[in-house]
């Protein structure tokens, strides 16, 4: 844990005042304007005004707005969740800002702690700055007033990029200083806190301690923005430049009550963790990372989700006796032109009834990515005609688990990973009797070198001829056979 000591510290804020009859509506479709929001919320009572918040710099909608009801009672009825354009929106009381109530600055913020996850506690003395993701929940508290507008614009820009664009595809690092500092948990030195989109909210805690001497991305960022680089693992060869990502003895790593200089990386890791646990500033933890999987797709092809939504917006699973939910026959499955998938345009399929027939419902219009079937195909192959269950339990016990999985190494983070994940879910559900689907894995290897292509040309015509028509007359000398 890194304690924030500047930029986000201060006493607790004063209680805020709720505005009578006014609601905050979050998660609204980006294409919705103020008139659309007013019309959508009028189902709860007369609306006197509505507004959709946009970014001052880009003019883009920010996905939330405000609605003023004529009656506070109507506003109260609207609280909770509501469906607007097939999106589940959150409705809560609108609150008056202390700035507008008093005419002064907003109240100071309470102290905060940034928690990071690292696989290299041995390099903690080399942490010279911190980075939080643009989505980090503490970012608003970390940003100083003079940097807020710039950081808000940066966060908006980051929201338009995919994780791939922010990491592997981004050659030039971007980021902004938040105006805050944290206290180093070992040395007590101030550590500047930055926001950068190469840090993802989905990895670890969404915040990192940056060690630029021993991490390539951190080093690129530090060089670009002129941040300190402290080498804490020795082992570089003469002339070898930083960052150094190899093994070696720990250097430049001591403070009051702790020195790990001269230790190996593994020894240093254990000693630093023990010290942090004694101080209550950290602990040993095992994290398991499943590569992000976009399971919900906005396209026609794929397995429909067996989910419907009632008027209250709550998802309801389609009962087993009403499965499967099949794709509608359509003449066109072009994009809808909105953030929703093509199925949203097939209204005679989207509009349905609740499973018990008690009222109208809308189908989920996203689809699964077809891997929902391929992840357990090995089970279905054993019992393809079974209409009552994925596989007969006796059949599964006779054939499973698979004796040998033969595939390329590239499957390790794709089909093999997800088939195992899927199988473990089926094990928890009691469908299969083994925790693992495959007993043995063999990778057949990859061709890494260049491929040599040899062809023979007729010396008279220059045409390509079959190797069967050629004979070797001398070493590396070939002639066409006669006759």
């Amino acid at each position: 844990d890194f304690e924030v000591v500047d930029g986000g510290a201060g006493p607790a804020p004063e209680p805020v005042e709720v505005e009578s009859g006014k609601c905050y509506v979050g998660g609204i479709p980006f294409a919705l304007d103020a008139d659309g929001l007013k019309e959508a919320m009028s189902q709860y009572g007369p609306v006197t005004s509505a507004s959709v918040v946009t970014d001052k710099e880009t003019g883009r909608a920010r996905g939330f707005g405000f609605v003023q009801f004529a009656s506070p009672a109507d506003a109260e009825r609207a609280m909770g969740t509501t469906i607007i354009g097939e999106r589940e929106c959150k409705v809560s009381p609108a609150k008056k800002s202390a700035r507008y109530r008093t005419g002064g600055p907003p109240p100071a913020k309470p102290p905060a702690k940034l928690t990071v996850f690292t696989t290299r506690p041995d390099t903690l003395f080399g942490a010279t700055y911190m980075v939080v993701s643009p989505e980090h929940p503490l970012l608003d508290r970390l940003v100083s007033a003079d940097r807020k507008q710039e950081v808000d614009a940066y966060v908006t820009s980051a929201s338009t990029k995919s994780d791939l664009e922010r990491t592997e595809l981004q050659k030039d690092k971007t980021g902004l200083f938040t105006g805050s500092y944290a206290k180093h948990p070992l040395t007590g030195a101030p550590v500047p806190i930055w926001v950068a989109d190469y840090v993802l909210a989905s990895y670890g805690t969404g915040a990192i301690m940056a060690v630029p001497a021993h991490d390539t991305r951190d080093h690129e960022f530090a060089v670009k923005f002129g941040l300190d680089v402290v080498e804490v693992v020795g082992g570089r060869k003469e002339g070898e430049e930083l960052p150094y990502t190899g093994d070696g003895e720990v250097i430049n790593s001591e403070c009051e009550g702790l020195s790990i200089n001269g230790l190996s990386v593994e020894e240093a890791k254990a000693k630093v963790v023990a010290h942090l646990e004694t101080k209550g500033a950290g602990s040993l933890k095992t994290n398991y990372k499943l590569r992000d999987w976009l399971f919900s797709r906005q396209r026609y092809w794929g397995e429909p989700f067996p989910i419907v939504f009632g008027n209250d917006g709550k998802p309801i699973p389609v009962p087993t006796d009403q499965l499967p939910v099949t794709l509608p026959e359509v003449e066109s499955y072009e994009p809808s032109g909105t953030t929703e998938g093509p199925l949203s345009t097939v209204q005679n399929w989207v509009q349905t009834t609740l499973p018990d027939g008690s009222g109208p419902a809308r189908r989920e219009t996203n689809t699964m990515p077809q891997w929902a079937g391929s992840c357990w195909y090995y089970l279905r192959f054993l019992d393809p005609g079974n209409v009552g269950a994925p596989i007969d339990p006796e059949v599964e016990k006779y054939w499973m688990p698979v004796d040998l999985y033969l595939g390329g190494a590239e499957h390790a983070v794709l089909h093999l990973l997800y088939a195992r994940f899927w199988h473990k879910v089926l094990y928890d559900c009691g469908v299969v009797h083994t925790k693992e689907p495959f007993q043995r894995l063999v990778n057949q290897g990859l061709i890494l070198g260049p491929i040599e292509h040899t062809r023979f040309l007729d010396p008279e015509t220059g045409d390509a001829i079959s190797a069967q028509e050629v004979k070797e007359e001398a070493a590396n000398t070939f002639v066409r056979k006669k006759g």
Side-chain angles (χ1 to χ4, degrees):
D1 290 337
F2 286 72
E3 182 181 346
V4 178
V5 294
D6 187 22
E14 303 170 11
V16 292
E17 180 183 344
V18 176
E19 296 194 47
S20 177
K22 191 171 184 180
C23 296
Y24 164 88
V25 187
I28 63 177
F30 290 109
L32 194 72
D33 59 15
D35 290 338
L37 179 60
K38 182 176 181 179
E39 180 181 355
M41 297 302 291
S42 293
Q43 61 180 302
Y44 299 104
V47 175
T48 58
S49 64
S51 62
V52 173
V53 178
T54 58
D55 185 271
K56 293 181 181 179
E57 296 294 320
T58 65
R60 292 179 178 174
R62 300 190 65 179
F64 64 92
F66 295 91
V67 174
Q68 179 68 59
F69 285 94
S71 167
D74 292 336
E76 185 67 27
R77 289 197 309 113
M79 298 301 170
T81 59
T82 188
I83 299 297
I84 300 178
E86 293 195 356
R87 295 194 65 173
E88 184 175 292
C89 305
K90 304 292 185 182
V91 184
S92 56
K95 301 171 183 178
K96 291 183 178 179
S97 165
R99 175 181 299 219
Y100 300 118
R101 281 192 283 118
T102 64
K109 304 165 187 174
K113 282 188 177 181
L114 276 176
T115 300
V116 303
F117 173 81
T118 179
T119 59
R120 296 294 304 272
D122 56 298
T123 63
L124 184 51
F125 284 96
T128 58
Y129 66 97
M130 298 186 71
V131 184
V132 297
S133 69
E135 303 84 5
H136 197 282
L138 287 180
L139 180 59
D140 283 344
R141 297 171 65 181
L142 298 173
V143 178
S144 57
D146 61 322
R147 299 175 185 273
K148 180 170 175 52
Q149 185 174 358
E150 188 179 12
V151 170
D152 283 349
Y154 182 81
V155 170
T156 300
S157 174
S159 68
T160 66
K161 301 178 184 178
S162 68
D163 286 359
L164 191 64
E165 290 172 321
R166 287 169 55 171
T167 52
E168 279 89 345
L169 300 183
Q170 183 167 274
K171 304 303 180 184
D172 185 35
K173 296 291 181 291
T174 64
L176 294 170
F177 177 48
T178 64
S180 291
Y181 291 84
K183 184 169 70 173
H184 195 288
L186 296 179
T187 66
V191 180
I193 304 173
W194 287 64
V195 56
D197 60 9
Y198 79 89
V199 175
L200 304 177
S202 57
Y203 180 76
T205 64
I208 67 165
M209 62 172 212
V211 184
H214 305 288
D215 181 273
T216 302
R217 293 186 305 168
D218 294 348
H219 187 265
E220 291 172 355
F221 193 90
V223 169
K224 178 173 181 178
F225 294 104
L227 299 167
D228 292 342
V229 178
V230 177
E231 190 172 4
V232 292
V233 178
R236 277 196 298 154
K237 297 178 181 178
E238 185 175 353
E240 185 179 359
E241 296 183 350
L242 291 174
Y244 174 67
T245 58
D247 207 352
E249 287 190 355
V250 177
I251 59 176
N252 301 323
S253 299
E254 62 180 325
C255 65
E256 184 178 351
L258 177 67
S259 175
I260 55 175
N261 287 331
L263 298 181
S264 68
V265 166
E266 293 305 316
E267 291 172 331
K269 285 181 180 180
K271 193 168 183 178
V272 169
V273 170
H275 183 78
L276 291 174
E277 288 179 335
T278 300
K279 294 180 60 178
S283 61
L284 183 65
K285 182 180 180 182
T286 301
N287 268 13
Y288 296 92
K289 183 177 185 293
L290 182 66
R291 185 171 175 175
D292 191 21
W293 186 12
L294 290 178
F295 193 75
S296 180
R297 309 290 177 94
Q298 293 74 48
R299 64 184 185 188
Y300 173 83
W301 297 111
E303 302 91 344
F305 284 97
I307 297 291
V308 298
F309 299 88
N311 287 333
D312 59 1
K314 294 181 179 179
I316 302 170
V318 175
T320 303
D321 60 1
Q322 296 180 26
L323 296 178
V325 177
T326 58
L327 289 171
E329 296 288 338
V330 295
E331 294 184 2
S332 172
Y333 40 81
E334 296 294 318
S336 65
T338 69
T339 56
E340 298 179 68
L343 287 177
S344 65
T345 65
V346 190
Q347 286 300 308
N348 62 349
W349 181 84
V350 173
Q351 301 296 336
T352 184
T353 58
L354 293 170
D356 62 3
S358 62
R362 290 177 59 85
R363 294 192 189 277
E364 170 62 64
T365 59
N366 286 351
T367 57
M368 292 180 261
Q370 296 175 314
W371 287 7
S374 67
C375 277
W376 60 287
Y377 72 90
Y378 55 90
L379 292 173
R380 194 61 182 175
F381 277 3
L382 304 179
D383 195 10
N386 195 325
V387 296
I391 184 173
D392 183 272
E394 294 302 317
V395 173
E396 188 273 330
K397 288 179 181 178
Y398 179 83
W399 287 106
M400 291 298 293
V402 174
D403 296 300
L404 173 65
Y405 181 109
L406 181 66
E410 68 276 8
H411 285 216
V413 292
L414 293 171
H415 174 70
L416 177 61
L417 177 65
Y418 295 120
R420 292 182 63 220
F421 177 76
W422 200 269
H423 192 91
K424 289 177 182 294
V425 172
L426 293 176
Y427 176 80
D428 290 343
C429 295
V431 175
V432 295
H433 77 287
T434 61
K435 290 185 178 181
E436 291 286 350
F438 315 117
Q439 292 192 92
R440 186 181 178 206
L441 167 67
V442 173
N443 295 135
Q444 76 270 32
L446 299 172
I447 298 174
L448 301 178
I451 301 174
E452 178 182 317
H453 296 279
T454 302
R455 70 172 182 166
F456 299 97
L457 302 178
D458 188 304
E460 296 179 3
T461 65
D463 295 333
I465 58 176
S466 169
Q468 294 179 343
E469 301 179 36
V470 177
K471 69 177 181 178
E472 188 172 6
E473 190 172 63
N476 296 320
T477 302
F478 300 86
V479 296
R480 188 166 188 175
K481 297 177 182 177
K482 295 181 180 179

